[in-house]
């Protein structure tokens, strides 16, 4: 009887430790914060160094574009055009970050074009970017769903995304499709669930819901900045969190200009209700990252990111 009691006690202890470990693994705290290297006016290494100096544990890089600072463009890279020296230097620059994610190409792509060479080039560019993301240690890649007509591309789209999911899975990565297209909460969630792939989920960008039919039906253009308009927008974000559940892999965070609903702003407007959003994320056991994607003049970015980090750390505490 005594031995049985000891075994039972040991089993209970192991169960408690396992549950504690699970809670720790899914706890949403400041270790989930990261910043995107999409900083206009910086080169790749300057953007990485700024994010490091500000103390972000995670970073998101762009396997598209140019390493050097390019007017009007954010820094990135085309993996198949990198020299061995560039690859070595970039790997060295990224050392020390606890978690790395990548944003796949989204400009000048026609992945559902009826013209084969354009379609094939567009798809190969994404696939090359996946290789680059894996090479630099990314755990997740953000994908924009191309805005080709959903009804005409549905079967082809699902097959394409599943194929990319297979490729990501081989590298130990996941793909998170960003909100914005299709043009409703209902269709976006339906698409994510229809893909039905363990390595494919969603990225909630807090500012990409402005054209969703559920939201535009509720908020007239002249009421965007009203308390009701702001509440409705935040409701849409919460609805996505709740409906996506464990298919929500990643977040892009920033603020929104109230009267215009212009996104990727520094955290100065108080439009996005982050305490409410964090509570919703904790409720579903979210264990992904909160990745800042803030735009603005190059000379303002250190202050924008530092202040945003400070605010989020406070809300997460």
């Amino acid at each position: 009887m005594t031995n049985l009691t000891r075994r039972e006690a040991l089993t209970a202890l192991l169960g408690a430790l396992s549950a504690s470990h699970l809670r720790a693994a899914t706890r949403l705290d400041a270790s989930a914060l990261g910043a995107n290297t999409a900083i206009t006016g910086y080169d790749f290494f300057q953007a990485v160094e700024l994010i490091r100096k500000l103390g972000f544990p995670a970073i998101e890089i762009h396997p598209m574009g140019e390493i050097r600072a390019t007017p009007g463009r954010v820094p990135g890279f085309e993996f198949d055009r990198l020299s061995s020296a560039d690859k070595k230097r970039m790997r060295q620059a990224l050392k020390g970050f606890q978690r790395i994610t990548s944003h796949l190409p989204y400009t000048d792509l026609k992945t559902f074009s009826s013209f084969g060479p354009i379609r094939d080039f567009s798809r190969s560019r994404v696939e090359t970017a996946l290789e680059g993301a894996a090479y630099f240690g990314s755990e997740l890649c953000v994908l924009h769903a191309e805005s080709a007509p959903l009804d005409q591309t549905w079967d082809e789209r699902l097959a394409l995304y599943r194929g990319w999911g297979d490729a990501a899975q081989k590298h130990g990565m996941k793909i998170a499709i960003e909100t914005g297209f299709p043009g409703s909460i209902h269709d976006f969630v339906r698409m994510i669930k229809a893909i039905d792939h363990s390595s494919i989920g969603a990225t909630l960008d807090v500012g990409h819901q402005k054209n969703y039919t559920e939201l535009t039906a509720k908020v007239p253009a002249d009421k965007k900045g009203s308390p009701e308009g702001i509440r409705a927008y935040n409701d849409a974000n919460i609805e996505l969190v709740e409906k996506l559940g464990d298919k929500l892999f990643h977040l892009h965070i920033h603020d929104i200009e109230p009267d215009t609903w212009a996104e990727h702003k520094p955290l100065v407007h108080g439009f996005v209700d982050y305490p409410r959003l964090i509570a919703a994320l904790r409720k579903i056991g979210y264990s992904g990252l909160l990745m800042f994607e803030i735009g603005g003049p190059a000379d303002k970015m250190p202050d924008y990111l530092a202040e945003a980090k400070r605010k989020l750390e406070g809300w997460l505490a």
Side-chain angles (χ1 to χ4, degrees):
M1 185 68 177
T2 302
N3 288 339
L4 180 62
T5 301
R6 287 175 178 171
R7 286 198 299 271
E8 288 175 344
L10 181 59
T11 299
L13 177 60
L14 290 173
L17 290 172
S18 178
S20 175
H21 175 75
L22 179 61
R23 285 193 297 272
T26 61
R27 186 172 61 237
L28 189 60
D29 58 23
S31 66
L33 290 178
N36 197 301
T37 55
I39 305 175
T40 304
Y42 281 57
D43 69 21
F44 176 85
F45 300 102
Q46 290 170 331
V48 171
E49 186 58 24
L50 173 61
I51 293 167
R52 182 191 307 283
K53 283 183 176 179
L54 291 174
F56 283 99
I59 191 169
E60 187 159 291
I61 60 177
H62 285 239
M64 54 180 160
E66 300 288 341
I67 296 176
R68 67 180 185 275
T70 306
R73 302 284 298 276
V74 300
F77 59 93
E78 300 291 339
F79 185 63
D80 55 344
R81 299 182 183 182
L82 291 178
S83 67
S84 296
D86 284 336
K87 290 177 181 178
K88 183 177 180 180
R89 186 183 173 199
M90 291 165 69
R91 264 189 165 170
Q92 184 64 35
L94 291 167
K95 279 187 176 179
F97 286 101
Q98 296 172 24
R99 300 171 74 177
I100 299 172
T101 61
S102 291
H103 199 312
L104 298 174
Y106 55 86
T107 58
D108 301 322
L109 295 182
K110 298 289 183 183
T111 51
F112 299 106
S113 173
S114 60
F115 184 50
I118 290 177
R119 181 184 63 246
D120 293 347
F121 171 76
S122 296
R123 295 182 182 188
S124 68
R125 190 163 172 240
V126 172
E127 288 152 13
T128 298
L130 280 169
E131 292 177 17
Y135 180 86
F136 290 113
S138 294
E139 65 181 62
L140 176 144
C141 296
V142 177
L143 174 69
H144 281 200
E146 187 185 322
S147 57
L150 195 63
D151 58 342
Q152 297 175 26
T153 61
W154 182 257
D155 291 339
E156 184 182 7
R157 186 183 293 271
L158 297 186
L160 178 64
Y161 294 164
R162 287 168 186 153
W164 286 344
D166 290 342
Q169 194 171 53
K170 288 177 183 178
H171 293 295
M173 300 189 301
K174 293 184 177 182
I175 291 176
I177 300 174
E178 193 163 339
T179 53
F181 180 86
S184 72
I185 294 172
H186 171 79
D187 281 342
F188 180 80
V189 174
R190 180 170 69 97
M191 180 183 73
I192 296 298
K193 293 189 174 181
I195 293 168
D196 191 26
H197 193 292
S198 61
S199 292
I200 297 184
T203 293
L204 171 62
D205 186 302
V206 297
H208 284 189
Q209 283 55 267
K210 61 184 177 182
N211 294 319
Y212 276 175
T213 55
E214 294 93 342
L215 193 53
T216 58
K218 294 178 183 176
V219 185
D222 62 346
K223 298 294 184 182
K224 287 182 175 180
S226 69
E228 296 78 14
I230 294 171
R231 174 75 185 190
Y233 202 113
N234 281 282
D235 287 348
N237 280 333
I238 299 302
E239 184 177 352
L240 279 161
V241 170
E242 293 173 345
K243 288 187 173 179
L244 287 165
D246 62 5
K247 279 296 183 182
L248 181 58
F249 289 175
H250 195 58
L251 259 81
H252 281 166
I253 60 175
H254 45 84
D255 209 353
I256 297 169
E257 193 173 76
D259 291 336
T260 63
W261 285 1
E263 72 270 29
H264 301 296
K265 302 298 180 183
L267 268 61
V268 297
H269 300 290
F271 185 102
V272 179
D273 188 345
Y274 279 106
R276 184 183 174 202
L277 180 60
I278 290 166
L281 292 170
R282 284 176 169 154
K283 188 174 181 180
I284 67 165
Y286 178 74
S287 59
L289 294 170
L290 301 172
M291 190 67 64
F292 282 111
E293 201 173 63
I294 293 173
D299 62 337
K300 298 287 187 182
M301 289 303 296
D303 289 340
Y304 285 170
L305 287 172
E307 179 63 7
K309 182 173 181 284
R310 184 190 67 79
K311 287 183 176 180
L312 257 294
E313 286 173 339
W315 289 320
L316 288 164

